[in-house]
Amino acid sequence: MTTETSGTIRAGIVGYGNLGRSVEKLVQKQADMELVGIFSRRDSLDTETPVIPVADAADYADKIDVLFLCLGSATDIPEQAPGFAENFTTVDTYDNHALIPQHRKAMDEAAKKGGNVALISTGWDPGMFSLNRTMGEAFFPNAQQNSFWGTGLSQGHSDAVRRIPGVKFGVQYTVPAEDAIEAARTGNGENINKYDAHQRRCFIVADEADHERIHETIVTMPDYFEPYQTEVNFISEEEFKRDHQGMPHGGRVITTGDLAGTRSTIEYSLDLEANPDFTAAVQVAYGRAAARLAAEGRTGAVTVLEVPPYLISPTPLDELVKRDI
């Protein structure tokens, strides 16, 4: 396989929640990929794709070019991803920003041990927003930069909520302050604190006896909720199933700055009807890059900041240059 795609990329999936199902659909739409199977602890899944016991994953190391880790960031990825990276080239969507350096180190060691690539923290933030923050800061000598998330459902934060003992159902929505967005657009975002500019709203189904403990666990959870403004709402299962089944999300990165006496603004925004579908789309594209990097002999952890854009595209580089430059 070369960076111009001379062969089919053989893919596998670990995890079959919302993200895993979206990755499955999108891999099946790629002309240069084929799905070997889904690794799961469950005996059967609602899919026509072959289901393989996750305990047997290592037996497929020579049959898969890239393994998509569709696991939760709260505990599953930190605990399981390094083990997979020893046997496979992997792509994950780890989104605990504060701990990404630690995750990168663990994945780098594991991937190098196995001679693989571990492409980490893909998706839209981290991921696409990371790229736009880096470019925006590079273009302005004294950039003023602000990131906003929402309004929408966060997969990582919702997963963290659902893992609290006693939580039967749970979701978390991130809601940005409109006045903060307007201040950033006009170049007055220097005093915006991301914790004050967003509210995290949780909707939880749990027994009443557990409400106080669950509330305290959520609002004091480091990195995910503390020190954000966090609202915890306990609702009925009926209300949850009626009002909280959709997965919209979005956000924006706004960069402003002075360029030799003139002010310019760059704004990158996303409006997502289904958060898992877009996250999966980014993960699958970077799966293509991971397979290509591995074929070139690259090993270790790689972030989206290190991947040349043409490596994520199914279109050959010469055609991209002719068409898009």
Side-chain angles (χ1 to χ4, degrees):
M1 189 184 303
T2 72
T3 56
E4 294 296 323
T5 62
S6 59
T8 300
I9 297 170
R10 301 168 299 171
I13 296 172
V14 178
Y16 200 62
N18 294 318
L19 180 61
R21 286 190 288 271
S22 292
V23 168
E24 178 189 31
K25 291 185 297 185
L26 286 160
V27 167
Q28 291 170 342
K29 291 180 178 292
Q30 309 303 313
D32 60 345
M33 293 186 182
E34 65 177 7
L35 187 55
V36 174
I38 299 168
F39 296 97
S40 176
R41 291 190 297 267
R42 289 179 278 174
D43 294 332
S44 63
L45 301 172
D46 185 17
T47 177
E48 295 182 1
T49 301
V51 178
I52 305 163
V54 73
D56 297 338
D59 296 339
Y60 287 77
D62 62 347
K63 301 177 178 67
I64 289 176
D65 299 309
V66 61
L67 186 64
F68 295 103
L69 304 183
C70 301
L71 304 167
S73 291
T75 58
D76 286 349
I77 288 181
E79 292 173 1
Q80 300 177 35
F84 288 115
E86 287 191 24
N87 293 299
F88 300 92
T89 282
T90 63
V91 184
D92 68 52
T93 60
Y94 186 69
D95 68 353
N96 189 334
H97 292 261
L99 298 181
I100 286 175
Q102 179 178 317
H103 176 59
R104 181 187 180 206
K105 182 176 185 295
M107 293 298 280
D108 189 61
E109 292 174 355
K112 284 179 176 175
K113 182 178 179 180
N116 299 310
V117 168
L119 216 163
I120 67 166
S121 299
T122 66
W124 58 275
D125 197 5
M128 296 299 93
F129 277 20
S130 310
L131 292 172
N132 280 272
R133 282 189 289 263
T134 300
M135 288 189 290
E137 186 178 42
F139 298 153
F140 294 100
N142 296 292
Q144 174 58 57
Q145 199 161 66
N146 300 94
S147 298
F148 299 94
W149 305 276
T151 298
L153 183 145
S154 169
Q155 293 184 96
H157 289 75
S158 295
D159 176 67
V161 162
R162 287 192 292 268
R163 289 178 179 274
I164 298 172
V167 172
K168 296 177 181 178
F169 300 96
V171 292
Q172 185 264 300
Y173 300 94
T174 303
V175 183
E178 289 298 327
D179 58 345
I181 293 174
E182 289 307 313
R185 285 174 173 156
T186 57
N188 296 308
E190 66 275 3
N191 295 319
I192 295 175
N193 182 310
K194 67 178 181 179
Y195 303 114
D196 297 330
H198 296 84
Q199 184 183 45
R200 298 200 180 280
R201 296 178 186 168
C202 303
F203 293 86
I204 307 295
V205 178
D207 291 336
E208 187 173 353
D210 295 326
H211 286 189
E212 184 175 348
R213 173 182 55 80
I214 292 171
H215 179 279
E216 184 64 16
T217 301
I218 291 173
V219 300
T220 60
M221 189 182 295
D223 302 323
Y224 281 91
F225 293 100
E226 196 280 326
Y228 285 93
Q229 303 175 57
T230 301
E231 174 187 294
V232 182
N233 302 279
F234 291 96
I235 60 176
S236 68
E237 184 173 336
E238 179 184 22
E239 184 179 352
F240 184 91
K241 291 182 176 179
R242 184 190 68 210
D243 298 336
H244 300 285
Q245 298 306 299
M247 295 186 181
H249 215 328
R252 63 199 73 237
V253 176
I254 301 172
T255 307
T256 62
D258 181 87
L259 298 173
T262 64
R263 187 176 68 83
S264 297
T265 301
I266 302 171
E267 182 168 344
Y268 177 79
S269 65
L270 294 174
D271 183 6
L272 312 177
E273 184 174 315
N275 187 4
D277 287 348
F278 186 77
T279 301
V282 179
Q283 188 178 13
V284 168
Y286 276 93
R288 180 178 292 110
R292 291 170 170 177
L293 289 170
E296 292 177 344
R298 178 78 176 261
T299 63
V302 180
T303 68
V304 296
L305 301 180
E306 302 165 73
V307 178
Y310 79 94
L311 288 183
I312 71 174
S313 175
T315 303
L317 177 58
D318 288 346
E319 186 175 337
L320 287 173
V321 171
K322 181 180 179 180
R323 186 185 73 191
D324 295 326
I325 293 183

